[in-house]
Amino acid sequence: MFSNIGVPGLILILIVALVIFGPNKLPEVGRAFGRSIREFKKATEGIADDIKEEIIEDIQESKQTTINLKK
């Protein structure tokens, strides 16, 4: 998503943010944005881990079923 912005676009975004929020509020907004991104990453990693665990459980269950059918 951010790979297509480039340096001029990034400078424009920073100037607009500086005008909107002012120099005193900008670091606070940046910290809040960083925290939000961090929480989003944690949530998506948690969901991915849950899905992986379910897949592993399903594979183990199907292997056990296959072993039982062969007997």
Side-chain angles (χ1 to χ4, degrees):
M1 181 174 147
F2 293 111
S3 63
N4 297 332
I5 291 177
V7 175
L10 187 59
I11 291 172
L12 180 63
I13 290 171
L14 290 174
I15 290 172
V16 170
L18 187 62
V19 169
I20 291 173
F21 297 110
N24 295 333
K25 205 74 158 156
L26 200 56
E28 202 174 304
V29 171
R31 277 191 292 276
F33 182 71
R35 278 189 230 114
S36 300
I37 295 294
R38 197 174 316 121
E39 289 297 319
F40 179 75
K41 282 184 178 181
K42 283 182 187 178
T44 55
E45 286 173 0
I47 291 170
D49 290 342
D50 290 343
I51 291 171
K52 286 178 187 176
E53 287 175 11
E54 288 293 324
I55 290 171
I56 289 170
E57 288 175 6
D58 288 345
I59 290 171
Q60 290 173 346
E61 184 179 307
S62 65
K63 283 181 181 179
Q64 187 65 28
T65 304
T66 305
I67 291 170
N68 289 339
L69 289 176
K70 286 182 180 179
K71 290 180 181 181

